[in-house]
């Protein structure tokens, strides 16, 4: 067999946009060029505001581990879901939004047709094999004109993307490392979730999937 330089390079598809429904787009591979900076920033955020399993208002421990950065962080406890300016674990402000998160989110939003996105919150989700996130809407933000930008890193997942009613049928969209989903406008309140994560071993994250969800809360 002859040695071909191109065979030895990782298979990187050029980034491309894939419409889901009006207002929602998957930007394939959009974050991949920034994977090292993004994952280093995830580790820095988690060193200051550790991963934790929040309790739903109904008393269930969430299987996804979460933390936050930015001016506001999403929290859940017995009294409900809300955004808080400080980490309830310790009371310090959430770590600042890393420049790499902000730049990526702004570029992805603009690419998907939402120029001028300025997120003030980033929820970080960590999934291990078997972890799922049940269908929900992102509706704790006061400003629903701004889109949601969601970045996938590490193990692939099946993203469930439905309609404006919980019972609407869901598309099952495979999200791989580096994919970014943007939803806003008519899709802003679409129900969505993550199917139980399949086991695997990613070269950069091992047996984990990390998701960054950037929002403008107010
Ligand atoms: C979320 O809806 O907060 C997370 C979605 C994902 O993990 O891709
Ligand atoms: Fe969500």
């Amino acid at each position: 067999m002859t040695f071909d330089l191109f065979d030895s390079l990782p298979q990187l598809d050029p980034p491309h946009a894939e419409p889901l429904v009006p207002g929602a787009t998957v930007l394939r591979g959009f974050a991949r060029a920034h994977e090292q900076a993004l994952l280093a920033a995830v580790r820095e955020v988690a060193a200051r505001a550790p991963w934790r399993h929040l309790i739903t208002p109904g008393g269930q421990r969430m299987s996804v581990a979460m933390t936050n950065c930015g001016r506001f962080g999403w929290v859940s406890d017995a009294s409900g879901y809300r955004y808080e300016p400080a980490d309830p674990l310790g009371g310090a402000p959430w770590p600042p939004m890393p420049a790499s998160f902000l730049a990526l989110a702004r570029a992805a939003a603009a690419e998907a047709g939402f120029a001028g996105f300025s997120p003030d919150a980033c929820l970080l989700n960590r999934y291990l094999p078997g972890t799922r996130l049940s269908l929900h809407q992102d509706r704790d933000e006061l400003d629903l004109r701004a889109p949601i930008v969601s970045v996938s890193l590490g193990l692939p997942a099946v993203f469930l993307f439905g309609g404006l009613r919980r019972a609407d049928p869901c598309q099952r969209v495979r999200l791989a490392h580096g994919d970014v989903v943007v939803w806003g406008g008519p899709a802003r309140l679409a129900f969505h979730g993550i199917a139980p994560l399949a086991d695997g071993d990613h070269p950069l994250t091992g047996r984990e999937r990390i998701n960054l969800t950037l929002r403008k809360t107010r």
Side-chain angles (χ1 to χ4, degrees), residues 133 136-138 148 183 192 213 215:
L133 186 64
H136 65 278
Q137 294 166 296
D138 289 3
I148 302 288
W183 65 96
H192 60 279
T213 298
R215 291 107 179 243

Side-chain angles (χ1 to χ4, degrees), residues 123 125 127 133 136 138 150 152 159 175 183 192-194 209 211 213 215:
L123 171 68
N125 294 310
Y127 299 76
L133 186 64
H136 65 278
D138 289 3
S150 171
S152 291
F159 184 50
L175 294 182
W183 65 96
H192 60 279
I194 293 287
R209 170 177 186 262
N211 167 262
T213 298
R215 291 107 179 243

Side-chain angles (χ1 to χ4, degrees), residues 72-75 81-85 121 140-141 215 217-218:
F72 299 99
W74 186 84
V75 299
Y81 305 126
R82 64 193 176 278
Y83 283 96
E84 291 280 1
D140 301 320
E141 302 73 32
R215 291 107 179 243
T217 66
R218 52 199 74 206

Side-chain angles (χ1 to χ4, degrees), residues 121-134:
C122 179
L123 171 68
L124 291 78
N125 294 310
R126 186 188 66 189
Y127 299 76
L128 304 180
T131 303
R132 62 191 289 270
L133 186 64
S134 54

Side-chain angles (χ1 to χ4, degrees), residues 162-185:
L164 301 181
R165 290 167 306 182
R166 184 178 287 279
D168 287 341
C170 284
Q171 300 187 54
R172 295 173 66 86
V173 184
R174 185 177 189 275
L175 294 182
H177 176 72
D179 291 347
V180 178
V181 189
V182 180
W183 65 96

